[in-house]
């Protein structure tokens, strides 16, 4: 039955699975939480390393799981990059989670993440999506430092469930129209004219929009992000979004988008960009602000679909990585506070430069990068996306999108103003990010520097 | 009316009713049940098409949906309990602490 | 190869300095020494490059070209040519002066401040030496960040408003420029078949007039904000007033030149047909800037605002010279850029020095400083007169040649029956009167009359301050008296610029648009 | 005659060295005895040396049979095909001007050592004076208009600094600023004229331009000479205080008196005249511009003279007199008598310098008093000053035999008879002005020196004759005022700038006119004697009789107020209320803030949509699905 | 059978008591099970009844009974968005219906193939889809851990 190829093809997943099992065992014998964290990091690093190694080795088996799962070096690279991003998340979770469940759930979710970019069949993709999100419902309220966490989890669960149902409905209609569960059918019927397959594509896209929080399907995101704890929000804002986008890349394949779906991909992301950036202006909660920012970034990400199909994956992966790295950087260095809502409040950043110059500097870099300003990687990513949009000939939308991105600069600057320029010298005591989180920050800044200095090299790898 | 068409219509109606339930019902448990209704609607169409194409894929997906639905409920119920514990109400309309 | 290494070193030295500063952390005097050292080294290298710069060569010198993002045709391409040699020299020259000038005024977060100054220096230098549009844009935008922090952290009471306004205003222009440059590169790739961001390649792009117009509009908006041209100028007075002295000096000295440099290096040469089409409109704006800036400088009560508005006026002359497309005017514009950099820097330094002593910027709080601070007053007078454009100072060289160019270009049109450019250039000449009016009003209230200054007794300028200003004065007079050797370095660039802008680059079959400027 | 390289450059640069040395010492060692002595030596030595060098250069010129000496110094700029060369040019005209500048300059420097003796900014004063000399020499020796312009602006700067020399009083510094700005208005015209010439001739070298216009260099430039002439004349009106830009000169009397003598009487203000003569090649082809110049000149002469009639400040009378005399010079230029204008420049330099310095001596004697109503009876107290003043007054009034007589008479004659725009009515107005000149000058003489003393007792006690450094200079200048007219400058210059021909039918009026002008001079004298020689009630009666006119004159025709109302205030008002308040703050910043608040409001709206209600969120989803599906129908 | 499912589903939305809603849902599910049975996929019908009615709904009913006592107050049934909700629902059904009805493919026509049996399904499930099976197990593990984690949290909140 399973050939060695099949075994190797799922190597990253296997590492994760091993990690999950070891963690569960550890949990059962209730060994120290510290060990659990390191096991998780080890597992994730091994998985990421395996993925990257396989990508570098050019491992491309022919159909290890015919019709269900396939891998190419590019897919391995994407997996590897995203898995590597999970390391900082784990590192920064230390301060919030004292026991091992977090790691188990995170690893399970990552397992789902790994399935998405290589799924050939909607069956696998559906499992991947569910595996990605179900543990997160639990993660959202896992820290439970305030009652709103439950509210957040419930909202997330219900709308995510609705997204799953919508996705299934779309898949079902597609199945009805073509008789196949293969993801490629989506791309094939994109330009079809019959109503049912058209409805099917629209429903699938809507479901992806829902998961990625595109206006008007975004409403769960700010609430869920705010209710969750810092590492979980970081995870949701970066990896989950990235995974959903990878799924979308998988679904769209390499065809150039046209027809009604292209319209959706033009209009709704644009609305998201503007809406997200505007709504973020008045936020006073850091996580909520990032949520709106992530809505806007989801907009940019879907813009990337408009370009030539063959460069889509590298564009999306690069954007996701650039965006995630700096987002994680910001989250890693959010100063500690005993009260979660105070930690979250932007006032917590007031005068941060005086208290913790490193954190202020790195968060500042993160904010500027999120704003898409050079020379930070966010700019290259933005450039990449808009270059594709221009190349596809959607000049007006590209310009509007850029102007929308301009709106966002203001609220990112606001964070900088608070950190560096507020005269408030009364400093809350002992409020620095934990040392592990700082380590995560350092990892992220290293990655940021790499992305900033050698974007060409990195893109060539994706 | 064609049978497939009828079943498909029914499936869509169930799906839409479920979605409508999410919009208009305030009780958290009822909302969960409406989610189940949506999934049931999807299942119906999947089974129909699976039959129509004589392909096991649809049926497998239905099977997966069963499992996922169960898991979601299993996860959702404790969350609802937690919510109720805190606000002593099943009314989702009251859970609006997170906004803006 | 060895020589181009010097340019690279010149560019990257500030980054090294920043890293050093971050490593030592906290020791203020060491930070000053390191920064000053870096700046001095940079100056030495710039002088060396300037001396070695061969005026006879048309293309790039000391060039480095490395592929950077080969997928998009982006390369790390830097080099010196006649366009940037003077501005690089100016930037390097002002660097040490800024550091020295900030010696006493910055007491808070000294290390961070110097790190920001170094980064700013890096970005400005980079924008000047970049010969690749992507690289240029990178530096162009990167400049905003340290400046944002410099104004925002060490600025005056309304610093946050000012710095956010500065940032958002300039960023708005940049975002449109980004759109335009992507479009430009795309269309070059589609029509010309080369994917490249190198200026030299982009100069070959052929675009139909509507496209040129829109793209020029986007570039011009970005550059005009930076210059700034009326009506896009309102960020400048606020930024200047709130910025610390060093910030003002850099802003006026170098940053504003970015706008005019952009027009000269990119805006007009990239879209020559649109540029010629819009010459009357842009000239109008330039002249409005001259007059408007002067009028507003006349009624300001804040001494920094006077200089700020005077900058608007002075850069109007630069635009006028560039738009004249006469060699004389172009050369004048280049000299005027440098001259304004020196003069405005000097004035801001002087204002900073007096502000350190008196802690007020209200003009009415001062009077009779010539009695109290003779040396200060002498310097002040020299810079004022240079700003007025008195002969023998650099201000005269720039203004005179720019106006001469504008006039020379406008006269034949007038003879041909099109008098509008001539009227504009006459108004610009009349702007010279306003220049004298506001600067002398400033000097009158400031230096003369009954002695009136808060915080008496005042100590006159220290040796350090005299040194800073003396260096500037020497260069100002050198440019005023002996501009020839300087202009020889830029002559080829001026020719190249004129050649690029006057040659139509419409797609082949449409190559018969009306020639607006002979 | 000593031949040396860069002789002309040495003339020009010597004062610059003086300025630098004095400037550095004055500021570095401010006020010490030693520095004062050094300042005197350098300050006076340099102009004298320059004078000597000039004489030497003149001898060289003479030896070279008056072929102009051209001495390139360096190349200022080369741009494309055009070069801007810094070169000096020495011909008869420059020689005269340079001699006047360095000569009168030297004596005034000497005078200043006495006059400024007790001033605490002694060194600074000499530094400025040397600076002035430097620029003035640059102006008269420059070959290119560019160099001329450098000097032109430079003397303006020196004038600005010297008018505001006692800057503790804001009014003095304000007067300096006014002078500078008014000059700048003229300079704008100058610049435009220069641009036009550059465009037309491709060079700024004045000899080349003249040659081009005279047609000796092949083709005549394709540009209207009148336009160029007018533009340059605008420049000249600024520098030489003609209508409409004369307003700065009376105010410029705020400077120390030697400054008034040197800059605002003898040299700088005649730069406009020099410019026109220098560009005579253009003006000869610009009848319209010449016409304008003549009319402006005569009008200025007339109006300034009327104002001078009623001034009570000793220096103001002289200032308006200067304006008036400059008007005469422009009248001469307007009718093409360039040499005559220069002749008047020279004689005027002598007698007006003498007058100013005499006035300075009076002021010095009276401890700063300048109001002639508070003088009188000084004849015996300061005799040398008195007698020199008498000679100079007689000279300016046109008493025969003295310098002013010759030059003024020639101007009147050419105004009447020149074939280039001379006309009887020009002569009429000019003659009337000459009468007034004689009258107000003798009025001044009478009120100051003759009659009973009206001095305040405290002042009267201290009245003393000035030191020799001052009186000696006065004597020298008085001699020059007396004999200066016997050297016929028009004749000397004729080979370079020919005099206009005389309209034939007016030729025989020459003797008549000569007599008329002599009569006029004496009539003025007599009138003044009658009015002010008798009891004080007599002028009072006249005053009452023409009260409205007198008021108008005292107020200087309200020109200052007019300019203030018409130009200065509207400019400030528009800048302040329209451009700053409305333009910058309301419109531009308003739009900006409007956009910003729009964004904030939109943000608020989006925030309100996010009510936290899961039902609403679901509704969004539902509506979104509907919308997306409907949208997908669009593609048929 | 279909109509029964539809009616009881509609009823779900309008019944006040959660318990009755649950009963309506059970009715719907059983009706669907019947439909599956009629379609010939008996094993899915069985699963439907076993998993949904037997497990999920029992769980829900249990919770309802648990909470019914505390949630005694007559809270309102409908959210404030019922009117727009209904309107959009109408639109949704219309749009959906039209989309599906007016399709051009032959999805609905043509004779139905032979219904496949449980053995057939099982064979395929374990051969072609064995990976899905494996993944499902991973999913179940994750779900169990998640549920346990949530329960642990609620226990912690209690204690």
């Amino acid at each position: 039955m399973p050939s060695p190829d099949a075994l190797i093809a799922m190597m990253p997943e296997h590492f994760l699975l091993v990690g999950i099992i070891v963690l569960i065992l550890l949990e059962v014998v209730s060994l120290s939480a510290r060990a659990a964290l390191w096991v998780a990091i080890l597992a994730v690093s091994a998985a990421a390393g395996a993925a990257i190694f396989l990508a570098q080795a050019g491992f491309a088996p022919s159909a290890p799981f015919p019709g269900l799962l396939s891998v190419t070096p590019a897919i391995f690279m994407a997996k590897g990059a995203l898995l590597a991003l999970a390391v900082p998340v784990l590192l920064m979770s230390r301060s919030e989670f004292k026991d091992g469940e977090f790691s188990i759930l995170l690893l399970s979710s990552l397992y789902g993440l790994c399935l998405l970019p290589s799924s050939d069949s909607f069956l696998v993709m559906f499992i991947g999506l569910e595996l990605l999100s179900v543990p997160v419902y639990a993660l959202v309220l896992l820290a439970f430092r305030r009652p709103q966490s439950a509210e957040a989890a419930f909202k997330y669960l219900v709308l995510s469930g609705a997204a799953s149902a919508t996705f299934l409905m779309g898949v079902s209609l597609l199945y009805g129209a073509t008789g196949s569960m293969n993801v490629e059918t989506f791309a094939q019927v994109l330009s079809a004219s019959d109503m049912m397959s058209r409805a099917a594509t629209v429903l699938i896209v809507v479901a992806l929009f829902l998961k990625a929080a595109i206006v008007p399907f975004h409403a769960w995101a700010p609430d869920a992000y705010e209710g969750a704890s810092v590492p979980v929000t970081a995870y949701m804002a970066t990896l989950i979004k990235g995974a959903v986008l990878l799924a979308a890349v998988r679904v769209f394949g390499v065809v150039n988008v046209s027809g009604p779906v292209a319209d959706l991909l033009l209009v709704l992301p644009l609305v998201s960009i503007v809406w997200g950036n505007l709504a973020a202006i008045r936020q006073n909660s850091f996580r909520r602000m990032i949520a709106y920012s992530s809505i806007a970034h989801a907009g940019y990400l879907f813009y990337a679909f408009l370009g030539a199909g063959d460069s889509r994956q590298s564009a999306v992966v690069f954007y996701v990585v650039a965006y995630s790295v700096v987002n994680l950087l910001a989250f890693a260095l959010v100063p500690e506070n005993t009260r979660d809502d105070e930690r979250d409040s932007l006032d917590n950043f007031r005068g941060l430069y005086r208290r913790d110059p490193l954190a202020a500097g790195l968060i500042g870099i993160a904010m500027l990068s999120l704003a898409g300003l050079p020379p930070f990687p966010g700019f290259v990513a933005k450039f990449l996306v808009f270059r594709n949009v221009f190349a596809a000939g959607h000049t007006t939308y590209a310009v509007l999108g850029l102007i929308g991105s301009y709106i966002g600069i203001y609220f990112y600057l606001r964070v900088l103003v608070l950190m560096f320029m507020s005269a408030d010298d009364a400093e809350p005591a002992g409020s620095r990010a934990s040392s592990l989180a700082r380590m995560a920050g350092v990892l992220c800044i290293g990655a940021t520097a790499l992305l900033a200095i050698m974007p060409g090299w990195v893109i060539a790898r994706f | 009316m064609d049978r497939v068409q009828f079943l498909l219509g029914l499936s869509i109606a169930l799906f839409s009713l479920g979605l409508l339930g999410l919009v208009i019902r305030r009780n958290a448990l009822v909302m969960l049940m409406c989610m189940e209704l949506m999934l049931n609607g999807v299942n119906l169409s999947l089974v129909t098409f699976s039959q129509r194409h004589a392909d096991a894929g649809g049926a497998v997906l239905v099977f997966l949906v069963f499992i996922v639905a169960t898991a979601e409920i299993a996860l959702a119920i404790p969350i609802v309990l937690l919510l109720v514990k805190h606000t002593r109400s099943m009314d989702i309309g009251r859970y609006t602490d997170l906004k803006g | 190869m060895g020589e181009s290494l010097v340019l690279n070193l010149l560019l990257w030295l500030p980054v090294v300095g920043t890293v050093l500063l971050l490593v030592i952390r906290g020791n203020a005097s060491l930070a000053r020494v390191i920064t000053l050292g870096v700046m001095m080294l940079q100056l030495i290298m710039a002088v060396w490059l300037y001396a070695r710069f061969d005026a006879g060569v048309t293309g790039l010198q000391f060039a480095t070209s490395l592929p950077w993002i080969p997928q998009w045709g982006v390369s790390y391409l830097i080099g010196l040519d006649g366009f940037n040699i003077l501005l690089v020299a100016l930037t390097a020259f002002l660097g040490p002066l800024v550091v020295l000038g900030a010696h006493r005024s910055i007491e808070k977060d000294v290390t961070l401040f110097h790190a920001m100054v170094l980064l700013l220096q890096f970005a400005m230098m980079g924008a000047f030496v970049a010969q690749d549009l992507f690289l240029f844009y990178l530096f162009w935008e990167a400049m905003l960040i340290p400046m944002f922090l410099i104004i925002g952290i060490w600025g005056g009471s309304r610093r946050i408003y000012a710095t956010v306004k500065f940032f958002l205003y300039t960023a708005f222009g940049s975002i449109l420029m980004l759109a335009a440059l992507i479009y430009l590169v795309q269309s070059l790739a589609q029509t010309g078949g080369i994917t490249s961001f190198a200026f030299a390649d982009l100069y070959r792009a052929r675009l139909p007039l509507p496209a040129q117009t829109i793209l020029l509009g986007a570039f011009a908006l970005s550059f005009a904000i930076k210059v700034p041209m009326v009506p896009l100028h309102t960020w400048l007075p606020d930024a200047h007033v709130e910025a610390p002295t060093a910030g003002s000096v850099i802003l006026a000295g170098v940053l504003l030149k970015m706008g005019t440099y952009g027009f000269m290096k990119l805006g007009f040469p990239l879209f020559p047909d649109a540029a010629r089409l819009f010459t009357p409109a842009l000239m109008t704006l330039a002249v409005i800037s001259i007059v408007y800036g002067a009028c507003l400088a006349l009624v300001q009560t804040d001494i920094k605002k006077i200089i700020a508005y005077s900058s608007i006026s002075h850069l109007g002359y630069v635009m006028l010279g560039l738009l004249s497309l006469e060699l004389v005017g172009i050369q004048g514009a280049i000299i005027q850029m440098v001259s304004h950099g020196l003069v405005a820097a000097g004035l801001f330094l002087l204002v900073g020095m007096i502000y350190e002593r008196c802690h007020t910027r209200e003009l009415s709080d001062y009077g009779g400083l010539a009695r109290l601070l003779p040396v200060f007053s002498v310097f002040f007078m020299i810079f004022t007169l240079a700003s007025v454009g008195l002969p023998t100072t650099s201000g005269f060289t720039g203004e005179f040649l720019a106006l001469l160019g504008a006039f020379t270009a406008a006269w034949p049109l007038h003879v041909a029956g099109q008098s509008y450019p001539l009227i504009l250039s006459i108004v610009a000449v009349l702007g010279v009167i306003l220049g004298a009016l506001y600067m002398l009003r400033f000097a009158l209230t400031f230096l003369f009359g009954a002695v009136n200054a808060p915080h008496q007794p005042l100590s006159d300028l220290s040796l350090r301050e005299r040194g800073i200003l003396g260096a500037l004065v020497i260069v100002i007079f050198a440019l005023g008296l002996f501009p020839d050797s300087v202009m020889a370095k830029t002559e080829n660039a001026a020719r190249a610029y004129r050649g690029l802008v006057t040659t139509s680059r419409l797609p082949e079959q449409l190559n018969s648009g009306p020639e607006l400027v002979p | 005659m000593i031949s040396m390289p860069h002789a002309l450059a040495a003339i020009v640069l010597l004062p610059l060295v003086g300025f630098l040395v004095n400037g550095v010492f004055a500021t570095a060692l401010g006020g010490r005895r030693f520095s004062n002595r050094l300042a005197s030596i350098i300050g006076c030595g340099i102009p004298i040396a320059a004078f000597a060098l000039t004489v030497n250069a003149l001898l060289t010129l003479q030896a070279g049979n008056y072929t102009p000496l051209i001495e390139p110094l360096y190349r200022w700029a080369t741009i494309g095909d055009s070069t801007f060369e810094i070169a000096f040019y020495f011909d008869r005209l420059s020689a005269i001007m340079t001699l006047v500048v360095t000569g009168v300059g030297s004596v005034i420097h000497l005078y200043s050592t006495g006059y400024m003796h007790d001033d605490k900014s002694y060194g600074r004063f000499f530094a400025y004076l040397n600076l002035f000399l430097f620029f003035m020499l640059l102006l008269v020796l420059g070959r290119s208009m560019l160099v001329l312009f450098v000097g032109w602006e430079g003397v303006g700067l020196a004038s600005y600094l010297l008018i505001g020399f006692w800057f503790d009083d804001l009014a003095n510094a304000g007067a300096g600023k006014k002078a500078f700005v008014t000059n700048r208005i003229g300079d704008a015209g100058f610049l435009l004229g220069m641009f036009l010439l550059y465009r037309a001739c491709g060079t700024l070298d004045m000899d080349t331009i003249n040659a081009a216009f005279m047609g000796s260099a092949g083709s005549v430039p394709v540009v209207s000479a009148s336009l160029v002439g007018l533009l340059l004349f605008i420049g000249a009106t600024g520098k030489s205080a003609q209508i409409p830009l004369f307003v700065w000169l009376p105010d410029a009397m705020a400077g120390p008196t030697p400054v008034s003598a040197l800059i605002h009487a003898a040299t700088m203000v005649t730069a406009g005249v020099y410019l026109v003569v220098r560009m005579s090649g253009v003006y000869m082809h610009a009848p319209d511009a010449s016409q304008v110049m003549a009319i402006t000149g005569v009008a200025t002469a007339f109006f300034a003279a009327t104002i001078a009639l009623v001034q009570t400040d000793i220096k103001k009378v002289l200032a308006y007199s200067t304006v008036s005399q400059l008007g005469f010079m422009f009248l001469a230029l307007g009718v093409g008598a360039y040499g005559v204008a220069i002749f008047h420049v020279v004689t005027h330099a002598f007698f007006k310098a003498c007058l100013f310095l005499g006035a300075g001596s009076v002021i010095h004697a009276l401890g700063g008093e300048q109001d002639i109503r508070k003088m009188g009876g000084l004849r015996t107290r300061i005799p040398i000053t008195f007698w020199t003043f008498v000679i100079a007054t007689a000279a300016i009034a046109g008493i025969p035999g003295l310098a002013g007589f010759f030059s003024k008479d020639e101007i009147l004659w050419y105004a009447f008879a020149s074939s280039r725009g001379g006309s009887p009515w020009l002569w009429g107005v000019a003659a009337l002005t000459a009468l007034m000149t004689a009258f107000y000058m003798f009025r001044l003489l009478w009120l100051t020196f003759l009659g009973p003393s009206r001095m305040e007792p405290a002042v009267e006690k201290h009245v003393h004759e000035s030191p020799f450094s001052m009186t000696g200079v006065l004597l020298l200048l008085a001699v020059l005022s007396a004999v200066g007219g016997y050297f016929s400058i028009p004749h000397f210059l004729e080979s370079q700038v020919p005099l206009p021909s005389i309209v034939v039918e007016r030729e025989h009026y020459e003797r008549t006119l000569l007599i008329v002008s002599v009569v006029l001079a004496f009539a003025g004298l007599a009138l003044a004697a009658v009015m002010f020689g008798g009891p004080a009630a007599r002028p009072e009666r006249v005053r009452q009789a023409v009260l409205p006119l007198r008021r108008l004159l005292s107020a200087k025709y309200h020109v200052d107020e007019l300019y203030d109302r018409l130009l200065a205030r509207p400019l400030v008002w528009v800048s302040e209320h329209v451009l700053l308040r409305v333009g910058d703050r309301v419109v531009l910043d308003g739009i900006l803030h409007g956009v910003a608040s729009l964004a904030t409001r939109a943000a608020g709206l989006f925030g309100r949509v996010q009510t936290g209600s899961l039902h609403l969120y679901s509704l969004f989803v539902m509506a979104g699905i509907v919308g997306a599906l409907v949208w997908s129908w669009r593609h048929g | 059978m279909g109509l029964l499912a539809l009616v009881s589903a509609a009823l779900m939305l309008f019944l006040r008591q959660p318990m009755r809603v649950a009963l309506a849902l059970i009715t719907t599910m059983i009706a669907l099970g019947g439909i599956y049975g009629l379609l010939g996929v008996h094993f899915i019908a069985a699963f439907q009844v076993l998993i949904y009615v037997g497990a999920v709904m029992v769980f829900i009913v249990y919770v309802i009974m648990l909470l019914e006592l505390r949630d005694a107050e007559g809270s309102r049934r409908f959210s404030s968005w019922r009117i727009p909700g209904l309107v959009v629902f109408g639109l949704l059904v219309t749009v959906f219906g039209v989309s599906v009805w007016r399709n051009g493919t032959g999805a609905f026509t043509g004779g139905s193939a032979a219904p496949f049996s449980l053995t057939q399904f099982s064979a395929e499930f374990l051969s072609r889809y064995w990976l899905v099976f494996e993944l499902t197990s991973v999913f179940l593990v994750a779900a169990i851990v998640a549920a346990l984690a949530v329960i642990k949290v609620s226990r912690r909140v209690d204690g």
Side-chain angles (χ1 to χ4, degrees), chain A residues 86-173:
Chain A
V87 175
V89 175
L90 279 166
L91 280 172
M92 75 176 89
S93 74
R94 181 78 191 98
S95 58
E96 292 277 345
F97 302 103
K98 305 297 178 224
D99 37 20
E101 276 133 352
F102 176 86
S103 306
I104 304 174
L105 291 173
L106 189 76
L107 259 58
S108 320
S109 182
L110 288 174
Y111 196 101
L113 182 149
C114 283
L115 294 179
L116 290 175
S118 45
S119 48
D120 265 349
S121 159
F122 281 116
L123 289 168
V124 177
M125 185 170 282
F126 175 67
I127 290 206
L129 275 176
E130 288 302 318
L131 194 47
L132 180 73
S133 33
V134 166
V136 180
Y137 308 149
L139 282 177
V140 168
L141 86 172
L142 193 55
F144 205 75
R145 285 167 60 169
R146 51 173 166 163
Q148 283 83 0
S149 294
E151 182 189 333
F154 188 76
K155 284 177 177 172
Y156 185 34
L157 186 141
V158 168
L159 286 177
S160 198
S164 298
T166 313
F167 182 75
L168 284 173
M169 197 71 215
V171 169
S172 157
L173 290 181

Side-chain angles (χ1 to χ4, degrees), chain C residues 333-358:
Chain C
I334 297 174
I335 296 289
Q336 173 76 353
M337 276 193 233
V338 180
S339 162
H340 176 262
L342 298 167
V343 174
L347 284 169
F348 274 119
L349 281 168
L350 280 164
V351 168
M353 288 165 189
I354 197 75
Y355 184 77
E356 274 171 36
R357 290 168 169 79
C358 298

Side-chain angles (χ1 to χ4, degrees), chain A residues 154-155 158-159 195 198-199 202-203 206 210 216-219 222-223 259-260 263-264 275 278-279 282 288 292, chain D residues 599-600 602-604 606-607 609-610 612-614 617-618 620-622 624-625 628-629 631-636:
Chain A
F154 188 76
K155 284 177 177 172
V158 168
L159 286 177
M195 299 290 268
R198 197 172 271 188
V202 167
L203 281 177
V206 163
L210 238 171
F217 311 106
H218 67 288
D223 293 4
D263 283 358
L264 284 183
W275 185 301
L278 274 176
R282 302 229 316 188
R288 210 173 177 78
Y292 280 111
Chain D
T600 331
F606 292 157
V609 168
Q610 192 83 12
S613 154
L614 186 54
Y617 299 171
S618 310
F620 283 161
V621 172
M622 213 159 140
I625 294 175
L629 283 173
W631 188 277
S632 74
W633 289 356
R634 265 185 3 127
H635 288 258

